[in-house]
Amino acid sequence: MNQEEKKPEVNSEPAPPALRRRNPKEIAAACALAWAIPGAGHLYLGRRLAGAVFFAVVLITFSLGLFMGGKVYLIDRTQPLSYLATFSNLALGPLDLVGRESVYGRMVFRIPDDPKSQEAEELLQTVRDRIKLETYEYGTTYLLTASLMNILLILDVFDIGIGRKE
C-alpha cells in the first residue's frame, strides 16, 4: 500500500439521536404558551431550566423598560413603521397589555384618526411626558428588545417542536 492510498478514518463517536418531531397540536400549544408567557413553551417541551431563564430574562427586560419610562408603541397612520413596532409589542402576549395599562392607563392600540380629538391629545401628551425622561429611549429600547426576544423564543419552540433543533 503506497502513501497516497490512505484508509478512511472511522468516526468512533456514535451518531446523534434522531430529533424528535412532535405532533402539530403539541407544537401549536407550545407556541401559544410561548406567546402567552415567555419561556412557557420551553417548559411545556420539558426544557425547564431554559424556560425559567428565558422567563426571567424577558420579564426583567420588560420591567426595566417600564421602570425607565419607555413607551409601548401605538399604530399611527402617519408613521408606517409604527405598525412594525406595535406588532413587536404584541409579541409579548399579556405582558403587552400590562405595558399598555402602565403607560397609557388603558388598553389602546392606535392613535385616533382625528389628531385633534381629546383621546389623541391625551395619548400624545402621555408620550410627550415620557419623552422628557432622561431614560425614555433606553426604556423604549428595553421594551422592544423584550418583545423581539419573545418572538425568537416562539420561533425556537417551533424549531424544537418540528425536530429542526435539539
Side-chain angles (χ1 to χ4, degrees):
M1 184 158 109
N2 70 34
Q3 289 180 345
E4 291 181 22
E5 293 180 32
K6 293 183 180 177
K7 291 183 182 179
E9 291 184 26
V10 178
N11 188 355
S12 60
E13 294 179 25
L19 296 175
R20 179 175 173 226
R21 182 176 177 91
R22 293 168 169 84
N23 70 46
K25 288 182 182 178
E26 190 177 11
I27 296 169
C31 290
L33 283 169
W35 171 80
I37 303 168
H42 287 83
L43 287 172
Y44 180 78
L45 296 177
R47 297 164 186 261
R48 291 185 178 114
L49 178 62
V53 169
F54 292 148
F55 175 77
V57 168
V58 173
L59 188 62
I60 289 169
T61 305
F62 174 78
S63 300
L64 283 172
L66 288 179
F67 178 73
M68 291 180 183
K71 79 168 184 175
V72 180
Y73 275 88
L74 299 173
I75 292 174
D76 180 355
R77 289 185 181 198
T78 64
Q79 301 291 325
L81 291 178
S82 70
Y83 289 89
L84 289 174
T86 303
F87 173 76
S88 172
N89 287 142
L90 291 172
L92 279 172
L95 280 179
D96 176 57
L97 302 177
V98 171
R100 289 177 190 287
E101 184 67 34
S102 174
V103 173
Y104 302 109
R106 61 185 181 272
M107 300 301 138
V108 60
F109 294 92
R110 68 182 190 96
I111 296 175
D113 293 333
D114 179 14
K116 298 196 185 300
S117 71
Q118 182 177 350
E119 183 183 9
E121 287 294 329
E122 289 172 2
L123 291 172
L124 292 174
Q125 188 58 47
T126 299
V127 172
R128 286 185 198 109
D129 291 342
R130 286 190 166 257
I131 288 174
K132 292 176 187 174
L133 299 172
E134 292 177 5
T135 56
Y136 163 78
E137 292 290 339
Y138 293 110
T140 301
T141 301
Y142 272 75
L143 289 171
L144 285 173
T145 300
S147 302
L148 295 172
M149 280 193 291
N150 206 44
I151 290 172
L152 292 174
L153 292 177
I154 295 166
L155 293 173
D156 189 51
V157 164
F158 179 78
D159 283 346
I160 293 167
I162 64 169
R164 186 181 301 159
K165 182 179 176 187
E166 230 177 86

